[in-house]
Amino acid sequence: MSAKPVSLALQGGGAHGAFTWGVLDAILEDGRLDVKAITGTSAGAMNAVALAAGHLDGGTEGARRQLESFWREISLEGRLSPIRRPVLERFMGGWSLADSPGLALLQSWTRLFSPYDSNPLNLNPLRDFLARIIPFDKLRASRQIQLFIAATNVRTGDIRVFRNAELSADAIMASACLPQIFQAVEIDGEYYWDGGYLGNPALFPLLDCTTPDDTILVQINPVLVRAVPETAGSIANRLNEITFNASLHGELRAIALMQRRAQGSDSLHDIRMHRIALGERDDLDASSKLNTEWEFLLFLRDHGRRAARRFLDRHFEAIGVTGTLDLKEFAP
C-alpha cells in the first residue's frame, strides 16, 4: 500500500519545538505517511527545513538524522547560556527556568534596553549555525517538499510567507525573530519579526489545490488551561499562549466557515484537519521554552513520539477519508 500524502503545520514555541521533533521522528519512522508540504513558524520553521534538507540527500532516514543533528547542535550552542535551571529545580526534577537568575537578568535587561542597544553589531550565532548545517541552495532548487515559512513585516504589519525559492538562513531567522531579543531581520529592504504574531503556523498556503487535502497540525501552545492564572508570571505566560494561538484559531474559524458555505459545491477542495498537541503540562511553563539542555530536549522528543504513535493508532485510517479535528468548535 502506498503512503498517504499529508501536509504538516508546525507551530513555534522555542525549545518546546523538540516535541515537534519527536512527532516528526515517529511519523517518519512509521512510514505510512508521505509528507508533501510543510508550513512552519519559528521553531516549526526550523524543524521544517531540517526535515526537508535531510530528506533531500537521505530520504526518510536522512530526515530523521538531520532533525536529531539539528536539536543536538541547538543543545550544544546553548551550553554557555547563563539561563540555567536553579539547583533546587534540578534536584526536584523540574524543567522550569522561572527562578533562574540569568532569566531574571534577561527580563530586566530587555525591559530597559532594545536589541539595538544591547547588540549593536547584530551578532546572532543561531543564524550562522543554520547557514552552516542547512543547504539552503539545495532547498531553494527543490520541489520535493513544498515549504511555507511565516514572518511578520514590521512596517506593514502583514504576514510574509517565504516559499522554497526564497529560503535562506535570514528567512528562518525572520520567522523566529522575537523583537525584545533580536534586531528585525532585513530581507530585500523589508524588516521582519517573528511569524507567530500573524501565523503560528500559517494555514492559508495549504488551501492551494497542489497540496494534500489532509493537514496534521502539531500544536505546542496550550489551547485550554485548567485554572485561571493569578500570579504575575502565570498571567504573562497565558497571555503569551493566547497571543501565539490567536492567528491559528482565526484561520481555523475561516476554514470552518468556508467549508460550511461550500457544502454541496465543488468550489473548495476538501480540507481534512488533524491535530497532535503538546497541551498543558504542569512540568512545562513558558520559561522552559528557553531550556536547551539535551536531557530536556530528549524528554520532549520522547513525549512527541508517544503522542504521534497514539494519533496514528487512533486516526490513521481516517486520513484520506475524514478530518479528525472538528472544525465546528472554531466556527463563529
Side-chain angles (χ1 to χ4, degrees):
M1 182 179 67
S2 60
K4 296 183 179 183
V6 296
S7 297
L8 301 175
L10 310 180
Q11 267 200 332
H16 291 186
F19 170 84
T20 302
W21 164 31
V23 170
L24 300 178
D25 188 64
I27 287 174
L28 291 166
E29 180 184 51
D30 181 87
R32 291 180 291 169
L33 299 179
D34 184 11
V35 178
K36 295 292 190 182
I38 309 175
T39 179
T41 299
S42 195
M46 296 180 191
N47 276 315
V49 295
L51 185 155
H55 199 275
L56 279 177
D57 292 329
T60 296
E61 289 306 310
R64 295 181 68 194
R65 287 193 299 270
Q66 183 70 297
L67 282 163
E68 180 171 0
S69 295
F70 170 79
W71 284 101
R72 187 176 290 277
E73 286 293 325
I74 286 288
S75 180
L76 292 173
E77 291 283 333
R79 284 184 304 174
L80 299 179
S81 170
I83 306 174
R84 313 297 293 177
R85 275 188 298 162
V87 174
L88 181 59
E89 186 73 10
R90 290 174 179 272
F91 178 77
M92 298 296 292
W95 302 110
S96 175
L97 301 177
D99 295 325
S100 165
L103 179 60
L105 178 62
L106 175 65
Q107 291 171 334
S108 299
W109 188 268
T110 55
R111 281 194 289 267
L112 295 172
F113 303 101
S114 84
Y116 297 87
D117 300 318
S118 58
N119 185 10
L121 297 179
N122 199 20
L123 302 176
N124 192 330
L126 182 56
R127 185 207 173 280
D128 298 335
F129 155 66
L130 281 171
R132 186 175 74 248
I133 71 162
I134 302 295
F136 285 102
D137 55 339
K138 291 183 179 180
L139 283 183
R140 285 192 291 270
S142 172
R143 296 298 177 269
Q144 197 173 92
I145 297 177
Q146 294 186 69
L147 296 173
F148 308 97
I149 305 302
T152 298
N153 187 306
V154 179
R155 289 192 320 104
T156 66
D158 293 330
I159 191 170
R160 166 75 185 274
V161 175
F162 296 92
R163 300 175 186 242
N164 293 59
E166 305 165 303
L167 290 179
S168 65
D170 283 333
I172 305 306
M173 292 314 304
S175 183
C177 180
L178 292 173
Q180 300 88 352
I181 300 176
F182 302 110
Q183 293 187 26
V185 177
E186 188 270 330
I187 300 175
D188 297 331
E190 291 290 351
Y191 291 82
Y192 298 95
W193 283 339
D194 195 298
Y197 297 112
L198 296 177
N200 194 22
L203 297 181
F204 68 87
L206 302 179
L207 302 184
D208 191 288
C209 62
T210 65
T211 58
D213 292 339
D214 288 86
T215 294
I216 300 174
L217 166 66
V218 184
Q219 192 167 8
I220 56 181
N221 289 301
V223 177
L224 298 173
V225 295
R226 289 185 290 271
V228 174
E230 296 181 352
T231 66
S234 62
I235 290 170
N237 291 346
R238 186 56 182 153
L239 280 172
N240 178 277
E241 291 165 354
I242 291 171
T243 298
F244 282 97
N245 274 332
S247 59
L248 171 65
H249 287 186
E251 286 200 85
L252 289 171
R253 282 193 293 272
I255 292 172
L257 183 60
M258 286 190 295
Q259 285 187 332
R260 189 168 67 192
R261 290 181 174 176
Q263 283 181 351
S265 75
D266 296 325
S267 60
L268 182 70
H269 80 287
D270 199 8
I271 301 169
R272 297 183 288 268
M273 291 294 303
H274 314 271
R275 178 167 61 189
I276 302 173
L278 174 58
E280 184 188 21
R281 290 181 62 101
D282 293 333
D283 52 353
L284 297 178
D285 61 14
S287 73
S288 65
K289 292 180 179 181
L290 298 174
N291 188 342
T292 58
E293 296 173 62
W294 184 238
E295 294 79 8
F296 180 53
L297 300 181
L298 290 179
F299 164 80
L300 287 168
R301 180 204 63 182
D302 293 344
H303 183 44
R305 283 178 55 83
R306 289 191 296 270
R309 287 177 183 142
R310 286 194 300 269
F311 170 83
L312 290 168
D313 288 343
R314 296 172 184 171
H315 300 305
F316 174 76
E317 295 301 329
I319 295 175
V321 179
T322 185
T324 57
L325 174 61
D326 186 3
L327 294 180
K328 290 179 181 154
E329 64 181 272
F330 300 98

